[in-house]
Amino acid sequence: QQQVKQSPQSLIVQKGGISIINCAYENTAFDYFPWYQQFPGKGPALLIAIRPDVSEKKEGRFTISFNKSAKQFSLHIMDSQPGDSATYFCAASNSGGSNYKLTFGKGTLLTVNP
Amino acid sequence: GAGVSQSPSNKVTEKGKDVELRCDPISGHTALYWYRQSLGQGLEFLIYFQGNSAPDKSGLPSDRFSAERTGGSVSTLTIQRTQQEDSAVYLCASSIRDTYNEQFFGPGTRLTVL
């Protein structure tokens, strides 16, 4: 059972455009939703995270939109740059659980063309 | 400061051999996680250590996999009698077990089983 579904699998955007990646989750106990960025040969790095008490969080060019009733959240990258080309993973965890493990989506390979 | 380090960065082994993968977490981080990243499968939780508590082994795929954490710091993931399906990138993450539990990942060990 895939608890976090991520789409699209890959995305090509022109420089300056908006990149949008979507995730949906099933477990209503999830209460922490981070996005990770991964470059080839590197480990994932936390980009931005949200908790369900807010519907949106913005940090620079990166915004998370969260819809609790639909159990969906998305990452928006404004003014996308070639340096943003990477694989992006959404994740979710339950802070009331015993281990805070992250459940990941399968990732989105973003390519930003110059 | 230093991040999470893992060694070796790459490991090639023959089917049936045992391998040991090492993780050095960030100093002061009490929580340590192992994840496996397989092509097309995203990141899967394997095992979790928190302080001196018994580890959560619920993600280990078989009894060929084991892990230990000595002195609440360094961790070793051992895979016995490796199989080709064990080929993957093994990622270690550590965190301060607080409300947000931000997990910091190491660069991973790429394991190839021939």
Side-chain angles (χ1 to χ4, degrees):
Chain A
Q1 180 188 15
Q2 186 184 355
Q3 293 199 53
V4 179
K5 295 183 180 180
Q6 183 171 347
S7 64
Q9 196 170 9
S10 62
L11 180 63
I12 300 174
V13 174
Q14 291 300 117
K15 178 181 176 182
I18 301 173
S19 304
I20 301 175
I21 305 171
N22 301 298
C23 284
Y25 63 97
E26 299 171 4
N27 187 347
T28 56
F30 287 150
D31 61 359
Y32 174 66
F33 303 90
W35 284 89
Y36 281 82
Q37 179 188 57
Q38 186 178 31
F39 293 104
K42 304 292 185 182
L46 180 66
L47 193 61
I48 186 172
I50 197 168
R51 297 185 76 89
D53 51 348
V54 296
S55 61
E56 185 174 282
K57 183 174 181 180
K58 182 176 181 179
E59 290 184 0
R61 297 185 293 109
F62 302 91
T63 299
I64 298 179
S65 297
F66 184 80
N67 185 330
K68 187 175 181 179
S69 61
K71 294 188 288 184
Q72 296 176 346
F73 58 111
S74 61
L75 176 69
H76 295 233
I77 305 174
M78 311 300 288
D79 186 27
S80 299
Q81 300 296 312
D84 297 331
S85 297
T87 300
Y88 292 81
F89 293 93
C90 62
S93 69
N94 170 17
S95 62
S98 61
N99 60 27
Y100 279 22
K101 72 177 184 181
L102 290 168
T103 300
F104 285 87
K106 292 195 174 184
T108 296
L109 178 61
L110 172 65
T111 302
V112 182
N113 289 328
Chain B
V4 177
S5 61
Q6 293 186 244
S7 61
S9 55
N10 283 283
K11 177 71 176 179
V12 180
T13 190
E14 294 178 348
K15 177 181 174 181
K17 300 283 189 181
D18 298 351
V19 295
E20 286 189 352
L21 313 179
R22 177 187 169 103
C23 171
D24 280 272
I26 294 172
S27 178
H29 281 195
T30 58
L32 186 148
Y33 300 79
W34 283 96
Y35 292 87
R36 179 170 69 176
Q37 185 171 24
S38 307
L39 192 63
Q41 293 299 315
L43 290 91
E44 303 170 280
F45 165 77
L46 295 177
I47 189 169
Y48 161 71
F49 296 89
Q50 169 59 33
N52 295 320
S53 302
D56 180 337
K57 306 178 183 179
S58 60
L60 295 179
S62 78
D63 58 8
R64 296 186 295 104
F65 288 71
S66 63
E68 63 177 19
R69 188 179 185 191
T70 55
S73 181
V74 172
S75 178
T76 302
L77 176 69
T78 301
I79 309 173
Q80 296 179 310
R81 304 180 304 281
T82 52
Q83 304 295 311
Q84 288 185 331
E85 61 262 29
D86 299 334
S87 296
V89 176
Y90 290 82
L91 291 158
C92 175
S94 69
S95 73
I96 297 171
R97 181 63 189 268
D98 63 2
T99 303
Y100 296 101
N101 195 45
E102 178 180 341
Q103 295 183 29
F104 295 85
F105 282 82
T109 294
R110 180 174 296 279
L111 174 66
T112 303
V113 182
L114 302 177

